[in-house]
Amino acid sequence: MAPRRNDFADATEAVTAGTGGRGPSDARPDAGEPSGPHTDEAATAGTAAPGTAEPDTSAADTSERNTPATDTGKPDTPATDHRGAGTGDDTPSSGTGEVAAGADGPGAPGPDDRVVAVRRVRGAGRHWRGAQLAVCGVLLAVAMTGGAIALGTDRAPASVPVAARAVDPGVLGGGNLDASIAALQAHLRSQPRDAGGWATLGLAYVEQARTKGDPARYPQAEKALGRSLSLAPDNDQALAGRAALAAARHDFAHALVHADQALRLNPYSERALSSRVDALVELGRYAEAAEAATTADERRPGVPVFTRYAYVHELRGDVRTARRVLKQALSVASSPGDTAYVAAQLGQLAWNQGDHSAALTYYARALAADDTYLPALEGRARAQAATGDRAAAIKGLETVVAQNPLPGPLVELGELYEARGAAGDRARARRQYALVDAWIALARANGVDADLDTALAAADHGDRRAALRAARAEWARRHTVHTADALAWALHVNGLDEEALPYARRAGATGYRNAAFLYHRGMIELATGHRTDGRASLSTALRLNPGFSPLGAERARKALEAAR
């Protein structure tokens, strides 16, 4: 299964993101990427003030390196011009201190050597940024203990103290998110009427769910955000948090409603502007998403908005603009989290276009900024598999799924085991697919719509009839290129190729260049007797990205050869 950029969340890959950044739902992603009872009262240490909910302390452990940053309401930086001339290649520009792409010939350094090389070039800058982050940590601690210090709020009511502001998940990669959550919980026990603190805690839980692959945090986020709104009903910070939570749960219709509510109160809310773009993309309302991205860029230019602006253009087939905007975003990245986030997006874009060398270079850049950044580790493994380094790819994905067992990397790892075919690999693959089913069940138990994940995984590695039910259900909710492709493929594996063909063609109607989509379309075209079209689609898929899937690429080659 090829990676998706849904839930941007890759950013959000799900709050990205999607949804945050391109991670799993449709974007990454999405996208990106569950369990535990939803109790009426969150577990906590200490005693809250009478009549108040206590902050949940069960989520805090000290393994994550993510910290909420600040969101300052109105912009204080000029907008970056995305419409000027830009380079059209996927090679990192020399102006940002990146390693040049294309260094994959004989004797060139391997992926790990790339990371070392990038670190050497950027060492001084990282030390300076580390000092910046340390200062930010001190300020956050002061805010926690002082109880009423606002670090750049989005016009929160003057009567309500605000502890901190959380911004896009992509920038939460340079500190310890679990420590920040513990500090917020301690602060809220002493200042239980801090609406801003509750809102920040809620969004931190959303981000924790994304980074840990644990949707059990979503009910905790819902409670914290509800508490914030009970204290301050006209609270755009909490409404924007609700938009992010809804997007993370793949409830994009409500994400749009909450984002619009927040923007009526504060038109400059970065979180709400970003979530509005995410929701429109994931609802398949691409023209409106493009307008929303332009509006967000005018009001709050910065990394979260730039990455969404780029993805909207990629979905329309404008890869050149998407690449240029992401490179601009990388040039203004001011923290290790920002750098890792944007460089990984550039790696994903390069990988989608079959430029595996550039993809490896960008992933090295991301890992030089944060060597634990899971989207970059996952992307690097995919690129390694595409270049024939299956052993490194398997090792990398085993590391990823051990920390964040989301459907995308689990399926990829299972397919790599199948492709390797060593003793015990079939059983290993089956275990990965079983974990997908377990994650989906857990996600649903915590309010996540997981039908798209079900359709994609089950069509090739599970119950095909369940895949079709899930794909039909998701298509009933939203019409996107990703849901069209998923429904087409689920229909195909169930022998309903005539019904599948219009959906397969619709998946490419926007101009989005995706090798997996073309593979699915080609196989459906061959099955319906459209041999010329089928051969063309399969040939295009393999030219675009010859390593798009550990199993699918080889099947495409065999089908193409048989159809000649």
Side-chain angles (χ1 to χ4, degrees), residues 288-336:
E288 292 174 79
E291 293 177 5
T294 299
T295 298
D297 184 46
E298 292 168 349
R299 294 181 185 176
R300 288 302 303 270
V303 167
V305 171
F306 293 165
T307 53
R308 286 163 171 85
Y309 188 100
Y311 186 51
V312 167
H313 280 271
E314 184 188 355
L315 286 170
R316 298 163 69 179
D318 187 0
V319 174
R320 181 180 295 269
T321 296
R323 181 187 302 120
R324 175 163 46 79
V325 172
L326 286 174
K327 290 173 79 171
Q328 289 174 338
L330 187 59
S331 72
V332 300
S334 59
S335 72

Side-chain angles (χ1 to χ4, degrees), residues 506-548:
R506 181 162 179 168
T510 67
Y512 181 46
R513 293 163 54 84
N514 185 296
F517 287 13
L518 287 163
Y519 160 60
H520 292 162
R521 176 173 172 167
M523 297 296 283
I524 292 167
E525 287 169 335
L526 290 179
T528 53
H530 297 82
R531 293 177 64 83
T532 300
D533 290 341
R535 289 196 298 268
S537 294
L538 292 174
S539 296
T540 303
L542 291 169
R543 281 197 306 272
L544 177 61
N545 187 359
F548 69 87

Side-chain angles (χ1 to χ4, degrees), residues 135-453:
V135 171
C136 291
V138 171
L139 291 175
L140 181 61
V142 171
M144 296 302 103
T145 56
I149 298 176
L151 296 182
T153 67
D154 282 348
R155 282 189 352 196
S159 60
V160 181
V162 179
R165 280 296 281 135
V167 294
D168 191 85
V171 305
L172 301 183
N176 190 319
L177 179 60
D178 294 319
S180 298
I181 287 175
L184 275 167
Q185 292 167 337
H187 163 71
L188 289 167
R189 283 194 291 273
S190 63
Q191 298 288 336
R193 299 192 62 78
D194 180 354
W198 284 106
T200 300
L201 180 62
L203 191 53
Y205 283 144
V206 174
E207 175 62 3
Q208 192 176 53
R210 186 188 70 83
T211 58
K212 290 180 178 293
D214 182 7
R217 304 307 182 205
Y218 294 144
Q220 297 167 346
E222 186 173 9
K223 289 176 64 177
L225 294 168
R227 178 62 178 153
S228 178
L229 287 166
S230 72
L231 292 167
D234 291 333
N235 176 355
D236 64 271
Q237 186 180 346
L239 289 168
R242 276 192 167 174
L245 173 60
R249 284 172 154 172
H250 303 179
D251 182 0
F252 300 109
H254 281 99
L256 182 59
V257 169
H258 294 314
D260 284 340
Q261 289 172 337
L263 289 170
R264 280 194 290 271
L265 294 168
N266 179 8
Y268 293 92
S269 167
E270 183 181 66
R271 163 54 54 196
L273 288 165
S274 298
S275 291
R276 189 170 195 275
V277 177
D278 294 348
L280 289 168
V281 164
E282 299 298 341
L283 291 170
R285 293 159 60 174
Y286 298 123
E288 292 174 79
E291 293 177 5
T294 299
T295 298
D297 184 46
E298 292 168 349
R299 294 181 185 176
R300 288 302 303 270
V303 167
V305 171
F306 293 165
T307 53
R308 286 163 171 85
Y309 188 100
Y311 186 51
V312 167
H313 280 271
E314 184 188 355
L315 286 170
R316 298 163 69 179
D318 187 0
V319 174
R320 181 180 295 269
T321 296
R323 181 187 302 120
R324 175 163 46 79
V325 172
L326 286 174
K327 290 173 79 171
Q328 289 174 338
L330 187 59
S331 72
V332 300
S334 59
S335 72
D338 279 341
T339 299
Y341 178 57
V342 181
Q345 300 303 308
L346 277 161
Q348 176 70 26
L349 182 64
W351 187 88
N352 278 347
Q353 308 310 310
D355 191 345
H356 304 137
S357 174
L360 286 168
T361 298
Y362 280 120
Y363 290 130
R365 175 72 185 275
L367 293 168
D370 181 355
D371 59 7
T372 67
Y373 190 55
L374 291 175
L377 290 169
E378 179 184 346
R380 183 177 69 176
R382 293 183 190 277
Q384 288 168 331
T387 56
D389 192 355
R390 185 184 294 152
I394 288 175
K395 182 178 179 181
L397 283 172
E398 286 173 340
T399 299
V400 170
V401 301
Q403 300 177 61
N404 201 2
L406 292 174
L410 284 168
V411 168
E412 182 85 1
L413 179 57
E415 291 189 350
L416 281 171
Y417 285 140
E418 287 194 60
R420 185 174 66 180
D425 274 349
R426 290 184 66 87
R428 293 185 186 96
R430 285 195 296 270
R431 284 197 291 272
Q432 307 314 307
Y433 306 144
L435 285 172
V436 173
D437 293 338
W439 184 91
I440 287 170
L442 226 44
R444 285 178 169 155
N446 286 278
V448 178
D449 165 22
D451 279 335
L452 186 59
D453 299 283

Side-chain angles (χ1 to χ4, degrees), residues 465-486:
R465 287 177 295 180
L468 182 55
R469 287 194 300 271
R472 289 193 190 280
E474 196 66 21
W475 180 257
R477 281 188 287 271
R478 54 196 183 106
H479 295 177
T480 74
V481 295
H482 292 87
T483 54
D485 170 71

